Amino acid sequence: MTMEELLGIIGVMMMTGYRTTHNKKHLWSAKDDVSSVWAQELMPRNRFLELLQNLHLADNSNISKDRYYKVRPNFQHLNAGFKTAVLTRNLSVDETMVPYYGRHSTKQFIRGKPVRYGYKLSCLAASTGYLYHAEPYCGGFHRCKVCNSRTNMSCEKCAVPLHPKCMKVYHTP
């Protein structure tokens, strides 16, 4: 795989976030309503599918009990970047759904919502829409190791269930 092919795959994946199709193969279709000239000129369909099938961003030898172990480093990296911004006064803690219709053990179904199937994220956001922290919902709560209250957050260093306010207390010698 070349760097141009990797950037092309990332570009196609970002484009499908804005222009949804039932199947990525449809981007190479002859039908005008689902095809993408940009994707067709980028690389052949079979090459794209082969690279996408063999592209892994996580080491499968480090499997843990965390259901999001493959994408957890991405969340940690994004959250660290989000924290560089200055906090505003009006903050909101809420849940959001990321649409997903495939199979996964953490996929949620919420009847009566605009996005009924997908991944649930707990988010800390400003009234301007800026996201300060996002944490995927892993299915159920755990008990904080310091204060013994319910939490769905865990320590970024050791994956122990902790409240953010208890992390400093837990790691002090």
Side-chain angles (χ1 to χ4, degrees):
M1 174 188 309
T2 65
M3 183 56 82
E4 288 178 0
E5 288 176 325
L6 178 63
L7 293 174
I9 288 172
I10 293 170
V12 170
M13 298 303 290
M14 289 177 69
M15 180 184 67
T16 58
Y18 292 107
R19 183 180 178 190
T20 58
T21 58
H22 180 67
N23 192 331
K24 287 178 186 53
K25 291 180 186 178
H26 291 164
L27 295 173
W28 284 266
S29 171
K31 298 179 183 176
D32 290 336
D33 60 338
V34 292
S35 67
S36 169
V37 176
W38 181 76
Q40 293 171 1
E41 290 176 355
L42 188 65
M43 70 179 70
R45 180 193 69 198
N46 291 342
R47 178 67 178 158
F48 173 80
L49 295 174
E50 176 189 8
L51 293 174
L52 190 63
Q53 181 180 8
N54 293 308
L55 182 66
H56 292 279
L57 301 178
D59 186 4
N60 287 339
S61 64
N62 296 332
I63 297 174
S64 69
K65 291 182 180 180
D66 182 11
R67 293 180 183 175
Y68 285 100
Y69 75 94
K70 288 189 176 187
V71 295
R72 181 72 61 193
N74 298 336
F75 275 102
Q76 291 170 346
H77 181 73
L78 287 172
N79 287 331
F82 295 154
K83 288 182 177 92
T84 60
V86 178
L87 286 174
T88 60
R89 286 183 178 258
N90 301 325
L91 297 176
S92 172
V93 177
D94 201 3
E95 296 173 339
T96 186
M97 290 287 285
V98 177
Y100 180 72
Y101 296 97
R103 292 181 292 174
H104 195 271
S105 62
T106 59
K107 184 177 77 171
Q108 299 286 309
F109 169 74
I110 301 177
R111 180 172 282 125
K113 295 288 185 178
V115 178
R116 296 186 308 160
Y117 293 97
Y119 297 114
K120 188 189 295 187
L121 298 178
S122 298
C123 299
L124 174 67
S127 59
T128 60
Y130 185 82
L131 184 66
Y132 288 106
H133 192 86
E135 197 67 38
Y137 175 73
C138 296
F141 289 91
H142 303 286
R143 293 284 174 185
C144 176
K145 295 293 183 188
V146 175
C147 64
N148 202 31
S149 59
R150 289 171 32 130
T151 181
N152 66 347
M153 308 282 277
S154 60
C155 177
E156 294 177 354
K157 295 178 184 174
C158 61
V160 170
L162 294 170
H163 281 115
K165 65 181 180 184
C166 297
M167 287 186 195
K168 290 181 182 176
V169 175
Y170 185 77
H171 285 291
T172 55

PDB file of all heavy atoms in Angstrom, residues 25-60:
ATOM      1  N   LYS A  25     -19.526  -0.251  -2.331  1.00  0.00           N
ATOM      2  CA  LYS A  25     -19.356  -0.689  -3.721  1.00  0.00           C
ATOM      3  C   LYS A  25     -20.157   0.180  -4.681  1.00  0.00           C
ATOM      4  O   LYS A  25     -19.804   0.313  -5.848  1.00  0.00           O
ATOM      5  CB  LYS A  25     -19.807  -2.151  -3.878  1.00  0.00           C
ATOM      6  CG  LYS A  25     -18.922  -3.151  -3.200  1.00  0.00           C
ATOM      7  CD  LYS A  25     -19.463  -4.548  -3.413  1.00  0.00           C
ATOM      8  CE  LYS A  25     -18.690  -5.576  -2.638  1.00  0.00           C
ATOM      9  NZ  LYS A  25     -19.233  -6.919  -2.805  1.00  0.00           N
ATOM     10  N   HIS A  26     -21.245   0.785  -4.175  1.00  0.00           N
ATOM     11  CA  HIS A  26     -22.092   1.610  -5.039  1.00  0.00           C
ATOM     12  C   HIS A  26     -21.381   2.858  -5.538  1.00  0.00           C
ATOM     13  O   HIS A  26     -21.805   3.445  -6.543  1.00  0.00           O
ATOM     14  CB  HIS A  26     -23.368   2.011  -4.299  1.00  0.00           C
ATOM     15  CG  HIS A  26     -24.286   0.867  -4.058  1.00  0.00           C
ATOM     16  ND1 HIS A  26     -25.306   0.916  -3.151  1.00  0.00           N
ATOM     17  CD2 HIS A  26     -24.345  -0.377  -4.588  1.00  0.00           C
ATOM     18  CE1 HIS A  26     -25.950  -0.232  -3.123  1.00  0.00           C
ATOM     19  NE2 HIS A  26     -25.372  -1.037  -3.983  1.00  0.00           N
ATOM     20  N   LEU A  27     -20.309   3.278  -4.868  1.00  0.00           N
ATOM     21  CA  LEU A  27     -19.565   4.441  -5.329  1.00  0.00           C
ATOM     22  C   LEU A  27     -18.954   4.205  -6.705  1.00  0.00           C
ATOM     23  O   LEU A  27     -18.694   5.149  -7.443  1.00  0.00           O
ATOM     24  CB  LEU A  27     -18.473   4.810  -4.320  1.00  0.00           C
ATOM     25  CG  LEU A  27     -18.943   5.265  -2.946  1.00  0.00           C
ATOM     26  CD1 LEU A  27     -17.766   5.418  -2.011  1.00  0.00           C
ATOM     27  CD2 LEU A  27     -19.723   6.555  -3.053  1.00  0.00           C
ATOM     28  N   TRP A  28     -18.736   2.960  -7.073  1.00  0.00           N
ATOM     29  CA  TRP A  28     -18.183   2.605  -8.366  1.00  0.00           C
ATOM     30  C   TRP A  28     -19.271   2.131  -9.330  1.00  0.00           C
ATOM     31  O   TRP A  28     -18.981   1.589 -10.373  1.00  0.00           O
ATOM     32  CB  TRP A  28     -17.112   1.525  -8.200  1.00  0.00           C
ATOM     33  CG  TRP A  28     -15.833   2.071  -7.664  1.00  0.00           C
ATOM     34  CD1 TRP A  28     -14.762   2.491  -8.392  1.00  0.00           C
ATOM     35  CD2 TRP A  28     -15.481   2.257  -6.295  1.00  0.00           C
ATOM     36  NE1 TRP A  28     -13.776   2.940  -7.560  1.00  0.00           N
ATOM     37  CE2 TRP A  28     -14.182   2.803  -6.260  1.00  0.00           C
ATOM     38  CE3 TRP A  28     -16.133   2.033  -5.084  1.00  0.00           C
ATOM     39  CZ2 TRP A  28     -13.530   3.122  -5.088  1.00  0.00           C
ATOM     40  CZ3 TRP A  28     -15.477   2.353  -3.910  1.00  0.00           C
ATOM     41  CH2 TRP A  28     -14.200   2.891  -3.912  1.00  0.00           C
ATOM     42  N   SER A  29     -20.518   2.384  -8.995  1.00  0.00           N
ATOM     43  CA  SER A  29     -21.649   1.962  -9.812  1.00  0.00           C
ATOM     44  C   SER A  29     -21.775   2.857 -11.047  1.00  0.00           C
ATOM     45  O   SER A  29     -21.246   3.962 -11.101  1.00  0.00           O
ATOM     46  CB  SER A  29     -22.939   2.045  -8.987  1.00  0.00           C
ATOM     47  OG  SER A  29     -24.058   1.840  -9.802  1.00  0.00           O
ATOM     48  N   ALA A  30     -22.512   2.370 -12.031  1.00  0.00           N
ATOM     49  CA  ALA A  30     -22.786   3.169 -13.232  1.00  0.00           C
ATOM     50  C   ALA A  30     -23.991   4.079 -13.026  1.00  0.00           C
ATOM     51  O   ALA A  30     -24.251   4.960 -13.841  1.00  0.00           O
ATOM     52  CB  ALA A  30     -23.023   2.241 -14.424  1.00  0.00           C
ATOM     53  N   LYS A  31     -24.726   3.907 -11.930  1.00  0.00           N
ATOM     54  CA  LYS A  31     -25.913   4.721 -11.659  1.00  0.00           C
ATOM     55  C   LYS A  31     -25.493   6.088 -11.124  1.00  0.00           C
ATOM     56  O   LYS A  31     -24.678   6.185 -10.209  1.00  0.00           O
ATOM     57  CB  LYS A  31     -26.820   4.028 -10.645  1.00  0.00           C
ATOM     58  CG  LYS A  31     -27.351   2.705 -11.143  1.00  0.00           C
ATOM     59  CD  LYS A  31     -28.213   2.051 -10.089  1.00  0.00           C
ATOM     60  CE  LYS A  31     -28.684   0.692 -10.568  1.00  0.00           C
ATOM     61  NZ  LYS A  31     -29.450  -0.005  -9.521  1.00  0.00           N
ATOM     62  N   ASP A  32     -26.066   7.136 -11.689  1.00  0.00           N
ATOM     63  CA  ASP A  32     -25.678   8.493 -11.327  1.00  0.00           C
ATOM     64  C   ASP A  32     -26.033   8.876  -9.897  1.00  0.00           C
ATOM     65  O   ASP A  32     -25.343   9.688  -9.270  1.00  0.00           O
ATOM     66  CB  ASP A  32     -26.335   9.510 -12.278  1.00  0.00           C
ATOM     67  CG  ASP A  32     -25.742   9.423 -13.676  1.00  0.00           C
ATOM     68  OD1 ASP A  32     -24.592   8.963 -13.801  1.00  0.00           O
ATOM     69  OD2 ASP A  32     -26.432   9.813 -14.633  1.00  0.00           O
ATOM     70  N   ASP A  33     -27.114   8.318  -9.336  1.00  0.00           N
ATOM     71  CA  ASP A  33     -27.557   8.747  -8.015  1.00  0.00           C
ATOM     72  C   ASP A  33     -26.698   8.207  -6.874  1.00  0.00           C
ATOM     73  O   ASP A  33     -26.729   8.746  -5.778  1.00  0.00           O
ATOM     74  CB  ASP A  33     -29.022   8.386  -7.795  1.00  0.00           C
ATOM     75  CG  ASP A  33     -29.284   6.898  -7.894  1.00  0.00           C
ATOM     76  OD1 ASP A  33     -28.469   6.195  -8.519  1.00  0.00           O
ATOM     77  OD2 ASP A  33     -30.298   6.440  -7.332  1.00  0.00           O
ATOM     78  N   VAL A  34     -25.925   7.159  -7.094  1.00  0.00           N
ATOM     79  CA  VAL A  34     -25.087   6.595  -6.029  1.00  0.00           C
ATOM     80  C   VAL A  34     -23.598   6.590  -6.363  1.00  0.00           C
ATOM     81  O   VAL A  34     -22.773   6.409  -5.484  1.00  0.00           O
ATOM     82  CB  VAL A  34     -25.521   5.152  -5.663  1.00  0.00           C
ATOM     83  CG1 VAL A  34     -26.870   5.149  -5.009  1.00  0.00           C
ATOM     84  CG2 VAL A  34     -25.468   4.235  -6.860  1.00  0.00           C
ATOM     85  N   SER A  35     -23.243   6.790  -7.625  1.00  0.00           N
ATOM     86  CA  SER A  35     -21.835   6.688  -8.015  1.00  0.00           C
ATOM     87  C   SER A  35     -21.063   7.942  -7.626  1.00  0.00           C
ATOM     88  O   SER A  35     -21.633   8.988  -7.328  1.00  0.00           O
ATOM     89  CB  SER A  35     -21.720   6.467  -9.525  1.00  0.00           C
ATOM     90  OG  SER A  35     -22.149   7.619 -10.216  1.00  0.00           O
ATOM     91  N   SER A  36     -19.745   7.813  -7.617  1.00  0.00           N
ATOM     92  CA  SER A  36     -18.852   8.923  -7.312  1.00  0.00           C
ATOM     93  C   SER A  36     -17.709   8.902  -8.319  1.00  0.00           C
ATOM     94  O   SER A  36     -16.885   7.982  -8.310  1.00  0.00           O
ATOM     95  CB  SER A  36     -18.301   8.783  -5.897  1.00  0.00           C
ATOM     96  OG  SER A  36     -17.253   9.703  -5.700  1.00  0.00           O
ATOM     97  N   VAL A  37     -17.670   9.917  -9.164  1.00  0.00           N
ATOM     98  CA  VAL A  37     -16.612  10.012 -10.162  1.00  0.00           C
ATOM     99  C   VAL A  37     -15.260  10.138  -9.469  1.00  0.00           C
ATOM    100  O   VAL A  37     -14.259   9.571  -9.909  1.00  0.00           O
ATOM    101  CB  VAL A  37     -16.867  11.216 -11.109  1.00  0.00           C
ATOM    102  CG1 VAL A  37     -15.725  11.402 -12.086  1.00  0.00           C
ATOM    103  CG2 VAL A  37     -18.181  11.021 -11.845  1.00  0.00           C
ATOM    104  N   TRP A  38     -15.239  10.862  -8.343  1.00  0.00           N
ATOM    105  CA  TRP A  38     -13.997  11.060  -7.601  1.00  0.00           C
ATOM    106  C   TRP A  38     -13.433   9.725  -7.122  1.00  0.00           C
ATOM    107  O   TRP A  38     -12.244   9.458  -7.265  1.00  0.00           O
ATOM    108  CB  TRP A  38     -14.274  11.997  -6.426  1.00  0.00           C
ATOM    109  CG  TRP A  38     -13.074  12.296  -5.604  1.00  0.00           C
ATOM    110  CD1 TRP A  38     -12.062  13.140  -5.932  1.00  0.00           C
ATOM    111  CD2 TRP A  38     -12.751  11.744  -4.333  1.00  0.00           C
ATOM    112  NE1 TRP A  38     -11.119  13.148  -4.928  1.00  0.00           N
ATOM    113  CE2 TRP A  38     -11.521  12.302  -3.937  1.00  0.00           C
ATOM    114  CE3 TRP A  38     -13.361  10.839  -3.480  1.00  0.00           C
ATOM    115  CZ2 TRP A  38     -10.910  11.985  -2.734  1.00  0.00           C
ATOM    116  CZ3 TRP A  38     -12.752  10.538  -2.286  1.00  0.00           C
ATOM    117  CH2 TRP A  38     -11.543  11.104  -1.934  1.00  0.00           C
ATOM    118  N   ALA A  39     -14.268   8.865  -6.557  1.00  0.00           N
ATOM    119  CA  ALA A  39     -13.806   7.558  -6.074  1.00  0.00           C
ATOM    120  C   ALA A  39     -13.385   6.675  -7.244  1.00  0.00           C
ATOM    121  O   ALA A  39     -12.400   5.941  -7.144  1.00  0.00           O
ATOM    122  CB  ALA A  39     -14.904   6.874  -5.262  1.00  0.00           C
ATOM    123  N   GLN A  40     -14.106   6.751  -8.332  1.00  0.00           N
ATOM    124  CA  GLN A  40     -13.772   5.927  -9.497  1.00  0.00           C
ATOM    125  C   GLN A  40     -12.428   6.314 -10.097  1.00  0.00           C
ATOM    126  O   GLN A  40     -11.675   5.462 -10.553  1.00  0.00           O
ATOM    127  CB  GLN A  40     -14.881   6.050 -10.550  1.00  0.00           C
ATOM    128  CG  GLN A  40     -16.184   5.437 -10.108  1.00  0.00           C
ATOM    129  CD  GLN A  40     -17.324   5.747 -11.051  1.00  0.00           C
ATOM    130  OE1 GLN A  40     -17.155   6.409 -12.071  1.00  0.00           O
ATOM    131  NE2 GLN A  40     -18.512   5.261 -10.710  1.00  0.00           N
ATOM    132  N   GLU A  41     -12.119   7.615 -10.093  1.00  0.00           N
ATOM    133  CA  GLU A  41     -10.837   8.063 -10.633  1.00  0.00           C
ATOM    134  C   GLU A  41      -9.694   7.823  -9.659  1.00  0.00           C
ATOM    135  O   GLU A  41      -8.538   7.757 -10.058  1.00  0.00           O
ATOM    136  CB  GLU A  41     -10.914   9.553 -10.977  1.00  0.00           C
ATOM    137  CG  GLU A  41     -11.808   9.845 -12.167  1.00  0.00           C
ATOM    138  CD  GLU A  41     -11.943  11.329 -12.439  1.00  0.00           C
ATOM    139  OE1 GLU A  41     -11.408  12.142 -11.639  1.00  0.00           O
ATOM    140  OE2 GLU A  41     -12.584  11.675 -13.431  1.00  0.00           O
ATOM    141  N   LEU A  42     -10.017   7.683  -8.380  1.00  0.00           N
ATOM    142  CA  LEU A  42      -9.002   7.505  -7.350  1.00  0.00           C
ATOM    143  C   LEU A  42      -8.311   6.152  -7.444  1.00  0.00           C
ATOM    144  O   LEU A  42      -7.091   6.057  -7.477  1.00  0.00           O
ATOM    145  CB  LEU A  42      -9.640   7.662  -5.975  1.00  0.00           C
ATOM    146  CG  LEU A  42      -8.717   7.691  -4.782  1.00  0.00           C
ATOM    147  CD1 LEU A  42      -7.827   8.916  -4.845  1.00  0.00           C
ATOM    148  CD2 LEU A  42      -9.522   7.697  -3.509  1.00  0.00           C
ATOM    149  N   MET A  43      -9.115   5.090  -7.488  1.00  0.00           N
ATOM    150  CA  MET A  43      -8.564   3.738  -7.581  1.00  0.00           C
ATOM    151  C   MET A  43      -9.676   2.778  -7.990  1.00  0.00           C
ATOM    152  O   MET A  43     -10.853   3.074  -7.797  1.00  0.00           O
ATOM    153  CB  MET A  43      -7.912   3.292  -6.278  1.00  0.00           C
ATOM    154  CG  MET A  43      -8.843   3.013  -5.126  1.00  0.00           C
ATOM    155  SD  MET A  43      -8.009   2.448  -3.621  1.00  0.00           S
ATOM    156  CE  MET A  43      -7.173   3.904  -3.077  1.00  0.00           C
ATOM    157  N   PRO A  44      -9.321   1.615  -8.527  1.00  0.00           N
ATOM    158  CA  PRO A  44     -10.345   0.623  -8.870  1.00  0.00           C
ATOM    159  C   PRO A  44     -11.073   0.111  -7.628  1.00  0.00           C
ATOM    160  O   PRO A  44     -10.512   0.069  -6.528  1.00  0.00           O
ATOM    161  CB  PRO A  44      -9.550  -0.501  -9.531  1.00  0.00           C
ATOM    162  CG  PRO A  44      -8.254   0.104  -9.928  1.00  0.00           C
ATOM    163  CD  PRO A  44      -7.992   1.216  -8.964  1.00  0.00           C
ATOM    164  N   ARG A  45     -12.324  -0.281  -7.816  1.00  0.00           N
ATOM    165  CA  ARG A  45     -13.154  -0.748  -6.705  1.00  0.00           C
ATOM    166  C   ARG A  45     -12.534  -1.935  -5.983  1.00  0.00           C
ATOM    167  O   ARG A  45     -12.460  -1.966  -4.759  1.00  0.00           O
ATOM    168  CB  ARG A  45     -14.547  -1.131  -7.211  1.00  0.00           C
ATOM    169  CG  ARG A  45     -15.464  -1.621  -6.106  1.00  0.00           C
ATOM    170  CD  ARG A  45     -16.696  -2.279  -6.642  1.00  0.00           C
ATOM    171  NE  ARG A  45     -16.289  -3.535  -7.272  1.00  0.00           N
ATOM    172  CZ  ARG A  45     -17.034  -4.212  -8.133  1.00  0.00           C
ATOM    173  NH1 ARG A  45     -18.203  -3.776  -8.481  1.00  0.00           N
ATOM    174  NH2 ARG A  45     -16.599  -5.344  -8.646  1.00  0.00           N
ATOM    175  N   ASN A  46     -12.062  -2.934  -6.713  1.00  0.00           N
ATOM    176  CA  ASN A  46     -11.516  -4.137  -6.082  1.00  0.00           C
ATOM    177  C   ASN A  46     -10.258  -3.827  -5.270  1.00  0.00           C
ATOM    178  O   ASN A  46     -10.041  -4.421  -4.218  1.00  0.00           O
ATOM    179  CB  ASN A  46     -11.230  -5.218  -7.123  1.00  0.00           C
ATOM    180  CG  ASN A  46     -12.507  -5.777  -7.716  1.00  0.00           C
ATOM    181  OD1 ASN A  46     -13.592  -5.620  -7.152  1.00  0.00           O
ATOM    182  ND2 ASN A  46     -12.385  -6.421  -8.867  1.00  0.00           N
ATOM    183  N   ARG A  47      -9.450  -2.893  -5.746  1.00  0.00           N
ATOM    184  CA  ARG A  47      -8.252  -2.502  -4.990  1.00  0.00           C
ATOM    185  C   ARG A  47      -8.664  -1.799  -3.692  1.00  0.00           C
ATOM    186  O   ARG A  47      -8.090  -2.058  -2.633  1.00  0.00           O
ATOM    187  CB  ARG A  47      -7.365  -1.579  -5.844  1.00  0.00           C
ATOM    188  CG  ARG A  47      -6.130  -1.077  -5.134  1.00  0.00           C
ATOM    189  CD  ARG A  47      -5.147  -2.185  -4.831  1.00  0.00           C
ATOM    190  NE  ARG A  47      -3.952  -1.644  -4.188  1.00  0.00           N
ATOM    191  CZ  ARG A  47      -3.122  -2.336  -3.455  1.00  0.00           C
ATOM    192  NH1 ARG A  47      -3.320  -3.632  -3.283  1.00  0.00           N
ATOM    193  NH2 ARG A  47      -2.072  -1.785  -2.918  1.00  0.00           N
ATOM    194  N   PHE A  48      -9.654  -0.921  -3.761  1.00  0.00           N
ATOM    195  CA  PHE A  48     -10.149  -0.236  -2.571  1.00  0.00           C
ATOM    196  C   PHE A  48     -10.668  -1.242  -1.551  1.00  0.00           C
ATOM    197  O   PHE A  48     -10.335  -1.168  -0.372  1.00  0.00           O
ATOM    198  CB  PHE A  48     -11.270   0.749  -2.954  1.00  0.00           C
ATOM    199  CG  PHE A  48     -11.951   1.364  -1.773  1.00  0.00           C
ATOM    200  CD1 PHE A  48     -11.368   2.421  -1.101  1.00  0.00           C
ATOM    201  CD2 PHE A  48     -13.172   0.891  -1.328  1.00  0.00           C
ATOM    202  CE1 PHE A  48     -11.988   2.996  -0.003  1.00  0.00           C
ATOM    203  CE2 PHE A  48     -13.797   1.445  -0.236  1.00  0.00           C
ATOM    204  CZ  PHE A  48     -13.202   2.506   0.427  1.00  0.00           C
ATOM    205  N   LEU A  49     -11.472  -2.185  -1.982  1.00  0.00           N
ATOM    206  CA  LEU A  49     -12.043  -3.177  -1.065  1.00  0.00           C
ATOM    207  C   LEU A  49     -10.967  -4.073  -0.470  1.00  0.00           C
ATOM    208  O   LEU A  49     -11.039  -4.439   0.708  1.00  0.00           O
ATOM    209  CB  LEU A  49     -13.114  -4.000  -1.769  1.00  0.00           C
ATOM    210  CG  LEU A  49     -14.354  -3.218  -2.211  1.00  0.00           C
ATOM    211  CD1 LEU A  49     -15.283  -4.105  -3.024  1.00  0.00           C
ATOM    212  CD2 LEU A  49     -15.068  -2.627  -1.020  1.00  0.00           C
ATOM    213  N   GLU A  50      -9.960  -4.426  -1.274  1.00  0.00           N
ATOM    214  CA  GLU A  50      -8.862  -5.264  -0.763  1.00  0.00           C
ATOM    215  C   GLU A  50      -8.072  -4.520   0.313  1.00  0.00           C
ATOM    216  O   GLU A  50      -7.767  -5.076   1.373  1.00  0.00           O
ATOM    217  CB  GLU A  50      -7.935  -5.645  -1.921  1.00  0.00           C
ATOM    218  CG  GLU A  50      -6.716  -6.436  -1.490  1.00  0.00           C
ATOM    219  CD  GLU A  50      -5.713  -6.621  -2.618  1.00  0.00           C
ATOM    220  OE1 GLU A  50      -5.878  -6.026  -3.697  1.00  0.00           O
ATOM    221  OE2 GLU A  50      -4.735  -7.363  -2.399  1.00  0.00           O
ATOM    222  N   LEU A  51      -7.738  -3.253   0.048  1.00  0.00           N
ATOM    223  CA  LEU A  51      -6.991  -2.465   1.034  1.00  0.00           C
ATOM    224  C   LEU A  51      -7.820  -2.231   2.287  1.00  0.00           C
ATOM    225  O   LEU A  51      -7.306  -2.323   3.406  1.00  0.00           O
ATOM    226  CB  LEU A  51      -6.568  -1.128   0.432  1.00  0.00           C
ATOM    227  CG  LEU A  51      -5.533  -1.199  -0.687  1.00  0.00           C
ATOM    228  CD1 LEU A  51      -5.314   0.169  -1.298  1.00  0.00           C
ATOM    229  CD2 LEU A  51      -4.229  -1.777  -0.182  1.00  0.00           C
ATOM    230  N   LEU A  52      -9.104  -1.941   2.120  1.00  0.00           N
ATOM    231  CA  LEU A  52      -9.968  -1.694   3.265  1.00  0.00           C
ATOM    232  C   LEU A  52     -10.114  -2.943   4.128  1.00  0.00           C
ATOM    233  O   LEU A  52     -10.136  -2.858   5.355  1.00  0.00           O
ATOM    234  CB  LEU A  52     -11.342  -1.220   2.782  1.00  0.00           C
ATOM    235  CG  LEU A  52     -12.289  -0.693   3.837  1.00  0.00           C
ATOM    236  CD1 LEU A  52     -11.711   0.545   4.501  1.00  0.00           C
ATOM    237  CD2 LEU A  52     -13.635  -0.378   3.221  1.00  0.00           C
ATOM    238  N   GLN A  53     -10.174  -4.104   3.493  1.00  0.00           N
ATOM    239  CA  GLN A  53     -10.313  -5.363   4.235  1.00  0.00           C
ATOM    240  C   GLN A  53      -9.067  -5.674   5.053  1.00  0.00           C
ATOM    241  O   GLN A  53      -9.151  -6.231   6.142  1.00  0.00           O
ATOM    242  CB  GLN A  53     -10.592  -6.507   3.260  1.00  0.00           C
ATOM    243  CG  GLN A  53     -10.775  -7.847   3.926  1.00  0.00           C
ATOM    244  CD  GLN A  53     -11.053  -8.962   2.913  1.00  0.00           C
ATOM    245  OE1 GLN A  53     -10.964  -8.760   1.718  1.00  0.00           O
ATOM    246  NE2 GLN A  53     -11.371 -10.126   3.421  1.00  0.00           N
ATOM    247  N   ASN A  54      -7.899  -5.286   4.552  1.00  0.00           N
ATOM    248  CA  ASN A  54      -6.644  -5.621   5.226  1.00  0.00           C
ATOM    249  C   ASN A  54      -6.070  -4.487   6.068  1.00  0.00           C
ATOM    250  O   ASN A  54      -5.007  -4.637   6.643  1.00  0.00           O
ATOM    251  CB  ASN A  54      -5.603  -6.052   4.189  1.00  0.00           C
ATOM    252  CG  ASN A  54      -5.997  -7.354   3.530  1.00  0.00           C
ATOM    253  OD1 ASN A  54      -6.294  -8.327   4.205  1.00  0.00           O
ATOM    254  ND2 ASN A  54      -6.052  -7.363   2.202  1.00  0.00           N
ATOM    255  N   LEU A  55      -6.764  -3.363   6.138  1.00  0.00           N
ATOM    256  CA  LEU A  55      -6.291  -2.232   6.914  1.00  0.00           C
ATOM    257  C   LEU A  55      -6.724  -2.395   8.371  1.00  0.00           C
ATOM    258  O   LEU A  55      -7.905  -2.487   8.672  1.00  0.00           O
ATOM    259  CB  LEU A  55      -6.863  -0.927   6.348  1.00  0.00           C
ATOM    260  CG  LEU A  55      -6.425   0.351   7.029  1.00  0.00           C
ATOM    261  CD1 LEU A  55      -4.927   0.575   6.828  1.00  0.00           C
ATOM    262  CD2 LEU A  55      -7.206   1.527   6.477  1.00  0.00           C
ATOM    263  N   HIS A  56      -5.758  -2.468   9.275  1.00  0.00           N
ATOM    264  CA  HIS A  56      -6.038  -2.596  10.709  1.00  0.00           C
ATOM    265  C   HIS A  56      -5.309  -1.472  11.436  1.00  0.00           C
ATOM    266  O   HIS A  56      -4.122  -1.262  11.237  1.00  0.00           O
ATOM    267  CB  HIS A  56      -5.569  -3.951  11.248  1.00  0.00           C
ATOM    268  CG  HIS A  56      -6.356  -5.098  10.730  1.00  0.00           C
ATOM    269  ND1 HIS A  56      -7.566  -5.462  11.249  1.00  0.00           N
ATOM    270  CD2 HIS A  56      -6.116  -5.958   9.710  1.00  0.00           C
ATOM    271  CE1 HIS A  56      -8.036  -6.506  10.584  1.00  0.00           C
ATOM    272  NE2 HIS A  56      -7.169  -6.813   9.643  1.00  0.00           N
ATOM    273  N   LEU A  57      -6.026  -0.783  12.305  1.00  0.00           N
ATOM    274  CA  LEU A  57      -5.440   0.326  13.050  1.00  0.00           C
ATOM    275  C   LEU A  57      -5.134  -0.045  14.488  1.00  0.00           C
ATOM    276  O   LEU A  57      -4.644   0.761  15.248  1.00  0.00           O
ATOM    277  CB  LEU A  57      -6.381   1.526  13.016  1.00  0.00           C
ATOM    278  CG  LEU A  57      -6.705   2.049  11.620  1.00  0.00           C
ATOM    279  CD1 LEU A  57      -7.682   3.199  11.704  1.00  0.00           C
ATOM    280  CD2 LEU A  57      -5.446   2.461  10.878  1.00  0.00           C
ATOM    281  N   ALA A  58      -5.466  -1.275  14.879  1.00  0.00           N
ATOM    282  CA  ALA A  58      -5.221  -1.729  16.254  1.00  0.00           C
ATOM    283  C   ALA A  58      -4.521  -3.083  16.217  1.00  0.00           C
ATOM    284  O   ALA A  58      -4.710  -3.874  15.306  1.00  0.00           O
ATOM    285  CB  ALA A  58      -6.531  -1.840  17.020  1.00  0.00           C
ATOM    286  N   ASP A  59      -3.721  -3.324  17.239  1.00  0.00           N
ATOM    287  CA  ASP A  59      -3.012  -4.586  17.363  1.00  0.00           C
ATOM    288  C   ASP A  59      -3.945  -5.618  17.996  1.00  0.00           C
ATOM    289  O   ASP A  59      -4.370  -5.466  19.140  1.00  0.00           O
ATOM    290  CB  ASP A  59      -1.767  -4.387  18.233  1.00  0.00           C
ATOM    291  CG  ASP A  59      -0.890  -5.623  18.296  1.00  0.00           C
ATOM    292  OD1 ASP A  59      -1.204  -6.621  17.602  1.00  0.00           O
ATOM    293  OD2 ASP A  59       0.093  -5.599  19.050  1.00  0.00           O
ATOM    294  N   ASN A  60      -4.295  -6.641  17.259  1.00  0.00           N
ATOM    295  CA  ASN A  60      -5.221  -7.658  17.756  1.00  0.00           C
ATOM    296  C   ASN A  60      -4.623  -8.546  18.842  1.00  0.00           C
ATOM    297  O   ASN A  60      -5.342  -9.315  19.471  1.00  0.00           O
ATOM    298  CB  ASN A  60      -5.731  -8.525  16.611  1.00  0.00           C
ATOM    299  CG  ASN A  60      -6.715  -7.784  15.732  1.00  0.00           C
ATOM    300  OD1 ASN A  60      -7.307  -6.803  16.150  1.00  0.00           O
ATOM    301  ND2 ASN A  60      -6.883  -8.246  14.514  1.00  0.00           N
TER     302      ASN A  60
END
